């Protein structure tokens, strides 16, 4: 009977943070002041902030309580022991190197495993992951299944690695040229799509065949496991905790940004099975992040992550959280907004190419759409298209990705479904006036991770029509 009641938050508010909606003309001024780069807006000028689900979670009362018992010792902190134990209990990896966030974990792991000229194979690498691989003088190869590039294809596991293509790639370049395989669960840049356990098992077999390390980018592993449970009938009767353990049992270790499924505002770690690899990685961790029992974090942060990792496995929480993203997806679809199907675990992705058919790729339609959504409703999303893809460091050419998307990432335990209704109404308004939306051009283009700090100027729709 309980299942028939409408879904509602499995928590109640104890602390609130006021937000306000600016007028449209104030928003247009703010947009101009931010050079049409939503990363440069002031958060106070944003009404509903769907820029990222990273570090934006509301912590629980237990996490706030845990902050008070953080052990701030430089070495041997008991808060580290708590984190290490939580990681072992939840993911099954006994060796843990805390880092200030996910990219710190990438820096440590790739410094240990990746040599110049090598390749790292993955489904779709996240932008900081790619940048860290390239920083090592290596190349990041995206080898996700073809379905991920088709926004209409509603296959359940579009985050899967194309194991056959990966096998052919390894055969071609030789196994010594492949530093590691890194599968991101869920596949954020590919639409927040999950990876099946069967696919992870096939990647394990591939890695064993060629003797190549296999890691997960596990920062959304609980959401991935929940979607496995929902979409793979073979897993319907298992707990999310058991599915997470099974996923991790197939890998040699993981990088983890605790700002996602760690339900914390900061933090990350590398987790490893092999003590010898831990010893190789440890000096890099000390160099870049800090001593091995704090890794660039305060002891209290380690506590918050340790508690968050356990809370995130709660079935009621995940059903509500992933359900909220799915309700947002359904509402937008019913409003006629072109979307990537199916809904991702943490985010909904708008298909900017279909939304703004008159804006060519070199005028950055997804950047233009993200700005329009802010102008129309104070909703901040993020461009996942040509701007984020950047240029190939070897040739200097624009990478021109196959998808031009705007991601609306939903922070965990933060917004209500009423907020999501505002988002849907905003997109409906933007859709109604889409013919008047033009493109964007760079005014200032930084060379690395350009999307964070670039400046743009709008290209009027009339000018695009003439070109
Ligand atoms: N891996 C994935 C799959 C990510 O989504 C992120 C961050 C990172 C690694 C890096 O972690 O931010 O803690 O250094 N994603 C955020 C996002 C920024 O908005 O998707 P970090």
């Amino acid at each position: 009977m309980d299942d028939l009641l409408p879904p509602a938050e499995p928590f109640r508010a104890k602390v609130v943070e006021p937000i306000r909606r600016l007028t449209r003309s104030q928003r247009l001024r703010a947009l101009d002041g931010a050079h049409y780069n939503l990363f440069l807006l002031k958060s106070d000028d944003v009404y509903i902030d769907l820029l990222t689900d990273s570090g934006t979670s509301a912590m629980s009362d237990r996490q706030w309580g845990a902050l008070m018992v953080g052990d701030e010792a430089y070495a041997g902190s008991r808060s580290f022991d708590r984190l290490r134990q939580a990681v072992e209990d939840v993911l099954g990896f006994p060796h843990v190197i805390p880092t200030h966030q996910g990219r710190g974990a990438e820096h440590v792991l790739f410094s240990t495993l990746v040599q110049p000229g090598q390749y790292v194979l993955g489904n779709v690498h996240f932008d900081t992951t790619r940048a860290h691989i390239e920083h090592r003088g290596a190349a990041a190869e995206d080898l996700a299944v073809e379905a991920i590039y088709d926004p209409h294809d509603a296959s359940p596991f579009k985050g899967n690695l194309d194991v056959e293509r990966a096998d052919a790639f390894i055969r071609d370049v030789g196994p010594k040229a492949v530093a590691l395989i890194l599968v991101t669960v869920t596949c954020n840049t590919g639409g927040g799509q999950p990876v099946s356990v069967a696919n992870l098992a096939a990647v394990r077999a591939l890695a064993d065949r060629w003797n190549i390390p296999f890691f997960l980018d596990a920062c959304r592993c609980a959401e991935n496991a929940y979607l496995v449970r929902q979409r793979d009938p073979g897993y319907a009767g298992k707990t999310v905790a058991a599915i997470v353990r099974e996923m991790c049992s197939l890998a040699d270790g993981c990088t983890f940004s605790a700002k996602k499924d760690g339900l914390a505002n900061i933090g990350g770690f590398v987790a490893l099975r092999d003590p010898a690899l831990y010893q190789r990685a440890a000096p890099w961790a000390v160099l870049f992040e800090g001593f091995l029992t704090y890794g660039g974090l305060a002891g209290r942060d380690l506590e918050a992550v340790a508690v968050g990792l356990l809370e995130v496995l709660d079935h009621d929480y995940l059903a509500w959280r992933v359900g909220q993203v799915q309700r947002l997806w359904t509402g937008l679809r019913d409003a006629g907004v072109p979307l990537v199907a199916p809904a991702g675990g943490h985010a909904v992705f708008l298909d900017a190419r279909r939304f703004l058919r008159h804006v060519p790729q070199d005028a950055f339609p997804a950047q233009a759409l993200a700005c329009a959504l802010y102008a129309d409703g104070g909703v901040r999303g993020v461009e996942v298209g040509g701007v984020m893809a950047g240029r190939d460091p070897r040739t200097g050419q624009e990478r021109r990705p196959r998808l031009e998307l705007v991601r609306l990432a939903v922070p965990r335990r933060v917004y209500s479904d009423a907020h999501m209704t505002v988002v849907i109404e905003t997109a409906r308004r933007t859709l109604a006036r889409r013919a008047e939306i033009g493109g964007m051009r760079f005014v200032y283009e930084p060379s690395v991770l350009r999307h964070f700090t670039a400046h743009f100027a709008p290209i009027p729709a009339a000018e695009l029509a003439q070109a």
Side-chain angles (χ1 to χ4, degrees), residues 49-348:
D49 201 352
L50 307 185
L51 180 73
T52 181
D53 63 322
S54 180
T56 51
S57 300
M59 293 210 297
S60 68
D61 50 357
R62 286 173 199 203
Q63 285 177 296
W64 282 105
L67 295 180
M68 287 306 295
V69 296
D71 174 359
E72 304 302 342
Y74 188 95
S77 159
R78 68 178 171 267
S79 301
F80 168 75
D81 291 336
R82 250 180 230 137
L83 173 69
R84 198 210 62 73
Q85 193 61 54
V87 172
E88 184 166 11
D89 290 348
V90 173
L91 306 180
F93 301 117
H95 302 286
V96 180
I97 298 173
T99 60
H100 74 285
Q101 58 184 75
R103 67 201 70 183
E106 292 166 354
H107 193 195
V108 170
L109 184 70
F110 299 158
S111 299
T112 313
L113 287 180
V114 181
Q115 300 305 324
Q118 284 191 307
Y119 296 89
V120 178
L121 315 188
N123 39 2
V124 186
H125 292 283
F126 183 64
D127 57 349
T128 62
T129 318
R130 172 179 292 282
H132 268 293
I133 292 166
E134 289 169 356
H135 177 66
R136 291 290 299 163
E141 282 298 323
D142 291 344
L143 294 167
V145 291
E146 192 55 31
I148 209 164
Y149 298 107
D150 179 0
H152 297 287
D153 186 326
S155 308
F157 295 108
K158 291 167 71 171
N160 283 357
L161 186 83
D162 187 332
V163 176
E164 266 174 41
R165 266 173 69 215
D167 190 45
F169 188 93
I170 299 167
R171 197 180 304 274
D172 201 32
V173 301
K176 294 226 167 348
V178 179
L180 72 148
I181 303 172
L182 181 76
V183 175
T184 303
V185 294
T186 59
C187 187
N188 181 11
T189 309
Q193 303 292 330
V195 179
S196 70
V197 179
N199 186 250
L200 295 176
V203 176
R204 175 76 266 167
L206 175 76
D208 286 344
R209 198 150 65 243
W210 293 106
N211 200 20
I212 296 169
F214 166 32
F215 278 73
L216 296 178
D217 177 332
C219 67
R220 296 184 182 86
C221 63
E223 289 165 6
N224 195 90
Y226 183 79
L227 290 168
V228 165
R229 195 174 179 281
Q230 237 184 11
R231 296 181 186 177
D232 182 341
Y235 285 86
K238 299 214 170 159
T239 63
V240 169
I243 301 171
V244 167
R245 276 299 280 263
E246 186 174 344
M247 286 162 46
C248 291
S249 74
L250 296 162
D252 296 306
C254 72
T255 54
F256 198 103
S257 166
K259 300 171 74 171
K260 285 80 167 176
D261 277 350
L263 295 176
N265 301 125
I266 195 69
F269 53 84
V270 182
L272 301 161
R273 202 178 300 291
D274 175 12
L277 190 56
Y278 172 82
Q279 278 188 331
R280 277 173 58 202
W284 295 114
V286 176
L287 183 62
F288 300 137
E289 298 289 316
F291 187 65
L292 295 167
T293 58
Y294 73 86
L297 296 168
R300 55 182 173 272
D301 299 325
L302 304 171
E303 296 276 350
V305 176
V307 176
L309 272 177
L310 295 166
E311 284 184 358
V312 80
L313 300 175
D314 180 70
H315 187 270
D316 288 350
Y317 157 72
L318 281 167
W320 172 81
R321 188 284 188 284
V322 175
Q324 183 176 50
V325 174
Q326 289 171 347
R327 288 189 293 281
L328 172 62
W329 187 91
T330 305
L332 288 167
R333 183 204 57 194
D334 293 350
V337 176
L339 298 173
V340 172
H346 67 300
V348 170

Side-chain angles (χ1 to χ4, degrees), residues 371-435:
C371 289
L373 290 169
Y374 173 73
D376 291 341
V379 174
R380 174 158 72 168
V382 70
E383 194 258 14
V384 181
V387 174
M388 184 186 273
R391 294 173 187 273
D392 185 320
R394 288 164 297 196
T395 64
Q397 295 298 310
E398 290 280 351
R399 279 199 246 245
R400 294 179 153 266
R402 290 165 73 179
L403 296 176
E404 288 286 335
L405 307 176
V406 173
R407 184 187 73 174
L408 302 179
V410 184
R412 295 169 183 79
R413 304 192 290 210
V414 171
Y415 291 115
S416 67
D417 281 7
H419 291 115
M420 296 301 120
T421 304
V422 173
V423 175
I424 294 162
E425 287 310 309
T426 298
R428 195 196 299 277
R429 278 188 205 178
T430 307
L431 191 66
R433 69 167 191 97
R434 66 171 133 179

